[in-house]
Amino acid sequence: MHRPSWDEYFFEVMEAVAKRATCDRGKSGCVVVRDKRILTTGYVGAPAGMPHCDEVGHKLITIKHPDGTESEHCVRTIHAEQNAVIQAAFHGISLRGATLYCKMTPCAVCAGFIVGAGIIEVKCLQKYKLPEEGEEILANAGVKISYVSEEVVKY
């Protein structure tokens, strides 16, 4: 039997956390770790006490990107990375110096949460369709980002 590396282990935990996601468009999870210990997790879902997509449907908006393309995004939910940071704040857990494991490149808003929380490294399974938005914020703040695969997530 193969014993997983720490990165493999935390990505497996992240994938298990993602199974709790309540928006089928962004079924992703997140795990925040320091010193090989899980500090907090998060998954895509509505704020606590609010209706979830799997209960009442999506709340979609159309976004026009700098390259002229458009995409639809569900705004009923909070991203996995945001939920992980919120959970840490709710429970009084510092994320300073931690590593975040996630499915894809964090968006610009999530990147801001990551920087603000003091997370120093982000490890992603894949790239998001416009990775430069989040990557630029992380790079400017000195947060290291790496990918298991250069493949772009498809929705």
Side-chain angles (χ1 to χ4, degrees), residues 12 16 25 29 35 78 102 111 113 125 132 134-135 141 155:
E12 287 176 15
R25 291 176 52 86
D35 300 327
I78 298 174
C102 57
F113 272 60
L125 283 180
E132 58 277 356
E135 285 177 343
Y155 278 98

Side-chain angles (χ1 to χ4, degrees), residues 20 63-64 67 70 80 82 106 119 127 134 139 141 148 150 155:
R20 291 278 307 151
I63 302 285
K64 186 167 185 167
D67 67 359
E70 292 183 350
Q82 294 168 10
I119 293 168
K127 290 198 170 204
V148 172
E150 293 292 319
Y155 278 98

Side-chain angles (χ1 to χ4, degrees), residues 87-135:
Q87 286 302 309
F90 187 83
H91 294 288
I93 300 167
S94 172
L95 301 181
R96 184 177 294 136
T99 298
L100 183 143
Y101 290 81
C102 57
K103 179 179 178 181
M104 62 192 119
T105 314
C107 71
V109 173
C110 288
F113 272 60
I114 289 164
V115 170
I119 293 168
I120 60 170
E121 186 172 8
V122 174
K123 296 186 178 193
C124 310
L125 283 180
Q126 297 174 287
K127 290 198 170 204
Y128 187 56
K129 55 189 156 192
L130 291 171
E132 58 277 356
E133 294 174 354
E135 285 177 343

Side-chain angles (χ1 to χ4, degrees), residues 25-47:
R25 291 176 52 86
K27 282 271 189 200
S28 64
C30 171
V31 176
V32 184
V33 174
R34 187 175 51 239
D35 300 327
K36 300 178 184 165
R37 301 291 181 253
I38 296 172
L39 301 173
T40 187
T41 65
Y43 54 84
V44 175

